Structures are given as C-alpha cells and as structure tokens.
Amino acid sequence: MADVARQAGVSVATVSKVVNGRYGVAQATLDRVQQVISELGYEASLGASSLRSHRTHVVGILVAEFEPFSTELLKGASDAIGSTDYELLAYSAGGRRADVGWERRYLSRLGGTLIDGAIIVTPTVVDARSVIPVVAIDPHTGPSGLPTVDSDNFAGAVMATEHLLRLGHRRIGLMGGRPDLESARLREAGFRAAMTSAGLTVDETLVVNGGFRQDTATQPARDLLDRPDRPTAVFAANDLSAIRTVEVARELGLRVPDDLSVVGFDNVPESALCDPPLTTVSQPLRDIGARALHLLIDLLAERDVPTHLRLPTALIERASCRPLG
C-alpha cells in the first residue's frame, strides 16, 4: 500500500480506504488509486483481509490428489463459481498424506484464514463439527451429518451389468473398487443384484479388487484374464481400472471387444480416448461439482440446504462391448 500511495500521491490511509471499499474518497482520487493498483498488480493479502473482516470470499475444493475423477469435479465447481462473488482455491497434498483424516488436516490449515468454506472430495471422515461450512462429495462412509452430493452408484452398476447380460454374456467378471468406499460397495451390490435378477450365480473367483487405480488394477486384471476359464466380459468399477483391463487384455493377446467386452464407470475424458473407446456408466461429474459449489455458497449465506443430493447415472455405449456369439 505504501508503494501505491507513493505513486498515486496520496496517503496510505487513503489507499486502505480504496482497497477496503470505505467511504470518504473523492471519485478522482479513487480512480487514480485504482489505476495505480492495476498498474502495479497489487493484491490484498487473503490472510490479512480475513483478520480484518473474518471473510476472504474464497472457497476451497480439497482433494487427496488430482486424478481424472476429482479433476472433472473441479471443472464443474470452477464453471459454477463464475456466477458468485467468490473465488475458488483447489488444494491437494498430491496423495502424499491421503491417509484417514487427511481432510481434517487440510481444513485446519486453510479454514478461517484462506477459505470461508470447503468442498471435500471423497473424505475419509465426515465430521460436521468444522470451523467453516463444508460440503462432501462421495464420502467414504456415505451420507451423514454434512450436506453431501453423490451419484446413483447402485443403479449405474445395475445398468452396466444388465447391458452385458443383454449382449448374451453370462460369465461376467467384476473389477471392484476400494472396499473402504461406500460408492465401491454400492457398485458391487448393483452388479450382484443384476446377476441375481437374471437367475445367475456370481462366480466368486471372477470378483477381484482393482483399487480404483491403474497401477493396482494390473495384477487383478491378469488374474481375471490369464486363465483358461476367463470371463467373456468384465464390469470395472471405475474407468481407470477398466482402461487397464483393456491394456492387460491386449498384452495377453486378447482383442476388445472381439474376445472380451469391458464396461467402466465414471465417464472421465480418458474413457472416450481409450482404444477402443470405452462403454461406461456416466456420472454427471461436472454437475456434481457445480451442485456442491452452490450448496456451499448457500451455506455461507445461511440458507437452508438439503442434506443429500443424489444425481442419476446413465449408460454411455461405445465400442468396447459386443454381443456374445
């Protein structure tokens, strides 16, 4: 502010009034100070501003790491922030500290000084007792005390499995997700429900845990496909493990979809770029991010908000499946 005052030929107190929107500054002086601020690229410290006003007008989206799922959510929140007078801060420790309770550390570090509220993506611990308003997306344990946004994982898994059943597949493998995630459990439950409704018994040797990551899906995919009685189709609980299943099939000399049909879940951009393009269950990820952002803004405005929003899923048919026989 001293630099601005010196160049504008005014006092530091006048610059402070302009920066903080206080009255008592002539229009000509206001214009001159704002021009100098623009020329110098001056920005007020968020920390200092929060000490004065207790608000930064910044909200955060906190993730364990940036991967395709959370990146799409972030895009939705970023699109939605433009209709508000808030700015958006995306924060992650890059997966280095993604153990149980990571969100509490992040909130302790940022809450009340840099951000006024937070969206937490797949939190491990859902705790409504936060120093700032919080909205959860797809929490590990499912909806609880915090306003929560997720998609219909069970119905999506039923759709994926029924699609393979309609194509004539009966020996269907499941590349499951992380067992500590409610969304993964719901997707497995949907798979099992669809198989039961079709009068089929799930072969438990064809149920493996891919961990929702490409690196952790490699060996489970080999376990499914490198056997004489391999499945004719695989439902993978997310797109990253589905893409890795396609890659492992190719390494084993299998052709997708001629020798193996594969369905994923999420509809991240990588699914359309897969060779062949991946049939998948679409979560409205950007919409989820936008809805969570608007819930958070409503919380900050002390408006009533729903405790849980569940958005529908949809099957996206591409080229990774074919009729059997």
Side-chain angles (χ1 to χ4, degrees), residues 126 128 134-139 142-150 292 295 299 303-310:
V126 179
V134 172
V135 173
I137 292 178
D138 192 23
S144 60
L146 290 177
T148 299
V149 187
D150 59 19
L295 281 181
L299 281 177
R303 291 189 284 264
D304 291 335
V305 300
T307 57
H308 183 210
L309 289 179
R310 174 157 288 168

Side-chain angles (χ1 to χ4, degrees), residues 239-262:
D239 285 342
L240 294 184
S241 56
I243 291 169
R244 187 62 188 132
T245 299
V246 172
E247 293 170 345
V248 169
R250 186 177 297 116
E251 293 166 7
L252 294 173
L254 301 174
R255 297 165 299 168
V256 175
D258 293 347
D259 302 317
L260 178 74
S261 291
V262 180

Side-chain angles (χ1 to χ4, degrees), residues 79-129:
D79 290 341
I81 201 75
S83 63
T84 76
D85 60 353
Y86 284 84
E87 296 176 3
L88 183 65
L89 171 72
Y91 185 84
S92 170
R96 294 189 301 273
R97 300 180 64 189
D99 54 336
V100 173
W102 61 266
E103 57 286 322
R104 287 175 173 166
R105 293 192 298 272
Y106 290 13
L107 287 173
S108 177
R109 177 172 296 182
L110 303 176
T113 55
L114 289 180
I115 58 176
D116 295 335
I119 298 167
I120 309 180
V121 179
T122 61
T124 58
V125 179
V126 179
D127 190 346
R129 296 169 300 172

Side-chain angles (χ1 to χ4, degrees), residues 59-254:
V59 294
I61 183 164
L62 313 183
V63 301
E65 60 179 318
F66 290 113
E67 33 68 44
F69 174 83
S70 61
T71 301
E72 289 301 297
L73 295 171
L74 176 58
K75 291 175 183 176
S78 179
D79 290 341
I81 201 75
S83 63
T84 76
D85 60 353
Y86 284 84
E87 296 176 3
L88 183 65
L89 171 72
Y91 185 84
S92 170
R96 294 189 301 273
R97 300 180 64 189
D99 54 336
V100 173
W102 61 266
E103 57 286 322
R104 287 175 173 166
R105 293 192 298 272
Y106 290 13
L107 287 173
S108 177
R109 177 172 296 182
L110 303 176
T113 55
L114 289 180
I115 58 176
D116 295 335
I119 298 167
I120 309 180
V121 179
T122 61
T124 58
V125 179
V126 179
D127 190 346
R129 296 169 300 172
S130 173
V131 295
I132 58 174
V134 172
V135 173
I137 292 178
D138 192 23
H140 277 221
T141 56
S144 60
L146 290 177
T148 299
V149 187
D150 59 19
S151 66
D152 198 336
N153 292 286
F154 181 88
V158 170
M159 278 189 286
T161 309
E162 287 182 343
H163 176 65
L164 293 172
L165 291 167
R166 284 194 300 272
L167 293 175
H169 296 279
R170 295 296 179 266
R171 190 164 175 76
I172 303 173
L174 173 68
M175 173 74 72
R178 291 171 48 181
D180 60 324
L181 275 173
E182 177 70 4
S183 57
R185 292 192 289 268
L186 287 170
R187 291 173 200 179
E188 179 172 342
F191 163 76
R192 291 181 179 277
M195 293 288 281
T196 299
S197 294
L200 299 173
T201 300
V202 174
D203 184 342
E204 298 299 333
T205 68
L206 300 183
V207 177
V208 296
N209 176 15
F212 276 166
R213 302 173 64 96
Q214 287 184 304
D215 56 346
T216 56
T218 299
Q219 189 55 51
R222 288 189 174 275
D223 293 341
L224 277 177
L225 303 180
D226 193 13
R227 50 189 285 175
D229 58 345
R230 62 174 175 80
T232 64
V234 172
F235 166 47
N238 78 335
D239 285 342
L240 294 184
S241 56
I243 291 169
R244 187 62 188 132
T245 299
V246 172
E247 293 170 345
V248 169
R250 186 177 297 116
E251 293 166 7
L252 294 173
L254 301 174

Side-chain angles (χ1 to χ4, degrees), residues 299-322:
L299 281 177
L300 289 166
E302 298 183 347
R303 291 189 284 264
D304 291 335
V305 300
T307 57
H308 183 210
L309 289 179
R310 174 157 288 168
L311 304 186
T313 48
L315 183 71
I316 306 298
E317 295 186 46
R318 296 195 181 107
S320 63
C321 298
R322 75 170 184 90

